[in-house]
Amino acid sequence: MKITFYGHNTLLIIIADTKVLVDPFISGNPLSKDKVIIDDIKPDYILLTHAHQDHVLDAEAIAKSNNATIVSNYEIAMYYQNLGIEVHPMNHGGTWNFDFGKVKYVNAVHTSSFADGTYGGQPGGFIIEGEHKTIYIAGDTALTMDMKLIPLSCKLDLAILPIGDNFTMGVDDAIIASDFVDCDKVLGVHYDTFGYIEIDHDEAKRKFFERDKDLMLLDIGASIEL
Ligand code: NI
Ligand code: MN
């Protein structure tokens, strides 16, 4: 499994030959819009954690130009189905075996509405299992006790957690979250994109390190292999 960071919560996960794009927000992200060539991504699937603009901005265009299937909660799936896009609706607690691996849509504590005010269901995160690796993408969320349910059913190899604070967990709560999900290897996301969520990278890494945890902060376009 290869994971590439395209800024904010935008991730490309390659499992065998399948490309799974998460929360595409590139054209509106001042940090990534000049670094990432959207047309080169060519995903097979697009997973959306919730309907906020900083997670779905490029989803429609990318889905249409690549015939990609959008996977999200029921309300978001229906929104894109009405635009003529192939979708796979899910809801919280549900798992589906896709051709690339297993996906579970899990709880997040946040909100979810489209930019035009359309109801975007309840926000979520994803647990993705493929090529014998399991990752948790928390999406935008507060620290929540529901995270303690995750290690009851799987052993994570990586937790992808928001750390930017203000709209989501900050670093201190993300450290507790990594305890809750029982995974000391964390990829930080949802930071620096806007003034509200700028963080001190060294301080964040030090705080994780002091708890015997590893916080990775990838440059835009950088990848890790699991
Ligand atoms: Ni959000
Ligand atoms: Mn967000």
Side-chain angles (χ1 to χ4, degrees):
M1 187 186 288
K2 182 180 177 187
I3 300 163
T4 303
F5 179 61
Y6 286 139
H8 208 53
N9 201 50
T10 307
L11 301 153
L12 179 66
I13 299 157
I14 303 180
I15 302 168
D17 294 329
T18 305
K19 290 172 131 184
V20 180
L21 181 65
V22 179
D23 286 0
F25 173 67
I26 297 162
S27 64
N29 181 348
L31 303 182
S32 58
K33 66 177 165 51
D34 299 325
K35 292 183 181 162
V36 181
I37 300 164
I38 290 177
D39 290 343
D40 287 352
I41 301 173
K42 302 188 191 317
D44 302 288
Y45 292 88
I46 301 172
L47 274 53
L48 301 176
T49 60
H50 65 296
H52 285 160
Q53 188 79 334
D54 61 317
H55 297 256
V56 306
L57 180 66
D58 298 314
E60 180 183 350
I62 296 174
K64 284 181 172 171
S65 55
N66 296 281
N67 268 321
T69 299
I70 288 184
V71 180
S72 191
N73 70 32
Y74 184 78
E75 289 77 9
I76 292 172
M78 290 307 109
Y79 178 93
Y80 286 104
Q81 188 172 68
N82 288 334
L83 297 172
I85 293 165
E86 189 78 27
V87 300
H88 181 109
M90 297 186 76
N91 224 324
H92 300 90
T95 301
W96 185 260
N97 285 304
F98 290 87
D99 52 7
F100 61 86
K102 209 160 92 174
V103 175
K104 185 174 190 178
Y105 191 62
V106 295
N107 296 345
V109 174
H110 192 67
T111 54
S112 178
S113 51
F114 286 93
D116 64 1
T118 302
Y119 176 57
Q122 297 293 308
F126 294 103
I127 295 169
I128 303 171
E129 190 187 321
E131 292 186 309
H132 308 292
K133 298 290 178 189
T134 305
I135 65 170
Y136 167 50
I137 298 170
D140 283 9
T141 184
L143 177 65
T144 163
M145 294 296 274
D146 287 341
M147 291 169 177
K148 291 192 170 192
L149 297 174
I150 290 170
L152 299 182
S153 57
C154 66
K155 179 76 191 103
L156 296 178
D157 296 290
L158 179 70
I160 301 176
L161 305 177
I163 56 169
D165 222 328
N166 192 72
F167 297 116
T168 67
M169 298 187 283
V171 169
D172 295 332
D173 281 353
I175 289 169
I176 300 170
S178 78
D179 281 333
F180 283 8
V181 301
D182 193 19
C183 182
D184 292 334
K185 194 171 175 185
V186 174
L187 175 63
V189 293
H190 214 274
Y191 62 92
D192 285 359
T193 319
F194 323 111
Y196 289 124
I197 61 174
E198 279 172 12
I199 65 158
D200 180 329
H201 294 204
D202 291 338
E203 185 187 30
K205 285 181 183 172
R206 181 180 50 76
K207 283 182 170 180
F208 273 81
F209 182 76
E210 284 171 355
R211 299 287 301 273
D212 291 321
K213 296 172 185 292
D214 180 23
L215 174 69
M216 289 173 284
L217 302 178
L218 294 178
D219 290 335
I220 288 167
S223 303
I224 52 170
E225 292 262 6
L226 293 181

